[in-house]
Amino acid sequence: MSTTAQQDAFGATTPDAGVDEDTPVLNAVGGDWDDLVDEAAALHEERIVVNMGPQHPSTHGVLRLILELDGETVTEARAGIGYLHTGIEKNMEFRTWTQGVTFCTRMDYLMPTFNETAYCLAIEKALGITDQIPARASVIRVMMMELNRMGSHLVALATGGMEMGATTVMTIGFRERERILQVFEAVTGLRMNNAYVRPGGVAQDVPEGTTDQVREIIPELRRGLGELEALLNENPILKGRTVDVGYLDLTGCMSLGLTGPILRAAGLPYDLRKADPYCGYETYEFDIPTRDSCDAYGRLRVRIDEMHQSLRIVEQCIERLDAEPGPVMVADKKIAWPAQLSVGSDGQGNSLDHIREIMGESMESLIHHFKLVTEGFRVPPGQTYAAIESPKGELGVHIVSDGATRPYRAHFRDPSFNNLQAVAAMSEGGSVADVIVAVASIDPVMGGVDR
């Protein structure tokens, strides 16, 4: 660009810059609109390009959909991601292994317990302590995950219903999720982003009365699910909007690497809780619901059926918690983050007995506590991969350690990221209104997509 050219605030030359025609001119432009227009002009077609999002209320977060339309029909759909810029995976390289939990819990903010558990399972595998995790800690993890699975599915149904104009579905969905969040708040002190699951176990045992609280909400949740089923399952308006909409068969799911309710709605009963059990899932009785409709309606029904199965598992968990008291953190004090917490007049913190021990009775305990909190434990050099069945599908964690107190690399296979590939296959050939239903049936959360 000529140095004599006048510039505006955005770095582009102004039309009245007063330069010769031969002088190179720099214009700041964004996107690929010119390429699309040139292509349409070359083919002598009249096409409309619609930019849906990233602030659109039906895109489940900051997702940008670039739709090419022929009338009301979508001829091409592309997804643009990366508007959150959380940088969670990179941030984890600058924090200790335990501090990483507070980052990954914020990825898919509708399923924080799953993010934490997958990350901690990978760390425990790298440390070689998988078999040393207390049984009670695993039961608590399973109970919290299954309640979280219900909460995530309830939001999927609630927001999907809202986007189709069914506001009653939204109010019922969020009402029932509120019951679950009250349990989370009682157990962890937070409704979301709990950072409750820690390497070696959980941050603290469930408070007294938790099993009674869960036992009380189970029939209420069943009643709420019944209301949702009565509103949705055979509703002719809903079926008109969802049956054969967002169609993607098993072959398409396999070729795109899709997992979760999308895959099971195509007829394949693949669930890591059965295929590759973790946290003792092989000891629980539950079924894997499937459908063979390959459409948005089938995915909705799969999620409803899964919530009933989650309640079955939660009932088994509370029976075990009542029957099996015990520790909730691995015994190795060089790894175990202090889990002896209590609620006092100044809020939540370490119990007085634990403080008395480390401050007055055991110098070794004080040293371990100090080293753990300030520096963190070391993970042997190597790499591990752990995967669990989240509400959206396979959530995998690949961690690489160079022997330090922080991850050399932490990478997450978030199911929303992989499943979002299906937008084009589900939307092209359908109407604009069907794009909303297709995206809702995928149930993506952009916090997980843009880690």
Side-chain angles (χ1 to χ4, degrees):
M1 183 177 68
S2 170
T3 55
T4 59
Q6 299 175 7
Q7 297 184 29
D8 64 12
F10 301 99
T13 55
T14 56
D16 57 346
V19 296
D20 299 332
E21 292 182 359
D22 297 333
T23 303
V25 175
L26 174 66
N27 287 305
V29 294
D32 49 6
W33 303 108
D34 290 339
D35 296 337
L36 292 174
V37 172
D38 292 343
E39 179 187 348
L43 296 173
H44 303 290
E45 295 179 350
E46 290 187 8
R47 290 186 289 174
I48 302 173
V49 180
V50 175
N51 190 38
M52 180 179 151
Q55 74 293 330
H56 196 283
S58 296
T59 51
H60 296 257
V62 281
L63 168 66
R64 176 193 181 202
L65 292 174
I66 305 167
L67 307 176
E68 290 189 29
L69 308 178
D70 181 6
E72 282 285 317
T73 302
V74 178
T75 57
E76 185 176 348
R78 287 176 293 163
I81 61 173
Y83 292 91
L84 270 181
H85 302 300
T86 51
I88 285 173
E89 293 175 343
K90 194 65 181 175
N91 273 311
M92 293 171 77
E93 298 174 16
F94 299 90
R95 298 294 187 275
T96 65
W97 293 96
T98 301
Q99 287 172 332
V101 174
T102 63
F103 282 89
C104 70
T105 187
R106 288 164 164 78
M107 295 190 316
D108 186 328
Y109 38 79
L110 294 181
M111 56 177 203
T113 309
F114 291 91
N115 301 329
E116 300 166 17
T117 303
Y119 174 65
C120 291
L121 287 175
I123 296 174
E124 291 158 5
K125 185 183 289 188
L127 289 168
I129 62 170
T130 301
D131 296 332
Q132 301 174 29
I133 307 304
R136 186 174 179 85
S138 293
V139 174
I140 294 173
R141 287 179 177 183
V142 170
M143 182 185 75
M144 297 292 281
M145 281 192 288
E146 292 308 315
L147 288 172
N148 200 174
R149 189 185 310 277
M150 288 194 66
S152 178
H153 284 344
L154 285 168
V155 172
L157 267 61
T159 54
M162 177 182 65
E163 288 158 8
M164 290 185 285
T167 51
T168 306
V169 175
M170 179 198 69
T171 55
I172 293 175
F174 278 99
R175 182 193 70 195
E176 299 307 313
R177 176 173 176 259
E178 190 66 24
R179 306 185 200 278
I180 296 169
L181 293 182
Q182 288 172 358
V183 174
F184 287 173
E185 188 172 10
V187 173
T188 72
L190 294 166
R191 292 157 59 87
M192 297 169 65
N193 305 332
N194 313 99
Y196 177 67
V197 181
R198 305 284 176 85
V202 295
Q204 62 176 343
D205 202 348
V206 293
E208 186 178 349
T210 297
T211 53
D212 293 333
Q213 182 183 5
V214 175
R215 200 175 273 112
E216 287 175 7
I217 69 165
I218 286 176
E220 296 174 349
L221 288 168
R222 281 211 171 94
R223 187 163 54 250
L225 280 179
E227 290 182 27
L228 282 173
E229 289 181 287
L231 271 172
L232 297 172
N233 285 0
E234 299 304 326
N235 187 323
I237 299 175
L238 176 105
K239 293 180 79 170
R241 289 294 309 274
T242 57
V243 172
D244 294 331
V245 172
Y247 185 89
L248 188 64
D249 60 16
L250 182 58
T251 302
C253 291
M254 298 292 285
S255 63
L256 292 172
L258 309 187
T259 52
I262 302 175
L263 183 63
R264 292 190 284 275
L268 185 66
Y270 178 73
D271 189 310
L272 285 170
R273 293 175 293 175
K274 293 281 191 183
D276 189 11
Y278 52 92
C279 293
Y281 266 109
E282 66 275 11
T283 64
Y284 294 87
E285 293 183 9
F286 64 100
D287 301 318
I288 306 300
T290 60
R291 297 274 166 172
D292 58 4
S293 59
C294 309
D295 57 10
Y297 181 72
R299 292 165 208 140
L300 179 147
R301 294 297 299 270
V302 164
R303 290 187 174 98
I304 291 176
D305 294 341
E306 283 186 4
M307 286 191 278
H308 284 293
Q309 297 302 317
S310 290
L311 284 176
R312 285 181 63 189
I313 298 173
V314 170
E315 286 178 323
Q316 297 170 60
C317 288
I318 58 178
E319 294 300 326
R320 296 185 188 191
L321 289 176
D322 284 340
E324 301 175 16
V328 295
M329 181 57 73
V330 69
D332 188 349
K333 293 299 182 183
K334 294 182 179 179
I335 297 172
W337 187 271
Q340 301 83 356
L341 300 181
S342 61
V343 179
S345 58
D346 58 346
Q348 199 171 59
N350 288 109
S351 69
L352 293 177
D353 291 339
H354 179 65
I355 295 172
R356 192 176 296 113
E357 180 194 356
I358 66 173
M359 295 300 292
E361 300 176 15
S362 172
M363 176 61 72
E364 187 179 3
S365 295
L366 179 61
I367 292 171
H368 288 327
H369 184 109
F370 181 78
K371 292 281 284 183
L372 265 178
V373 173
T374 58
E375 184 182 87
F377 53 79
R378 295 183 180 273
V379 173
Q383 56 183 330
T384 58
Y385 179 81
I388 66 173
E389 187 68 34
S390 81
K392 278 89 171 171
E394 180 176 333
L395 172 62
V397 185
H398 177 214
I399 60 169
V400 182
S401 173
D402 59 359
T405 59
R406 61 186 64 176
Y408 176 79
R409 181 78 173 91
H411 178 64
F412 291 80
R413 181 213 183 272
D414 191 277
S416 290
F417 179 80
N418 293 70
N419 294 348
L420 206 56
Q421 297 177 98
V423 168
M426 291 182 183
S427 302
E428 291 173 1
S431 68
V432 179
D434 291 344
V435 174
I436 307 296
V437 177
V439 173
S441 73
I442 295 173
D443 186 26
V445 169
M446 300 311 293
V449 174
D450 182 19
R451 300 168 302 287

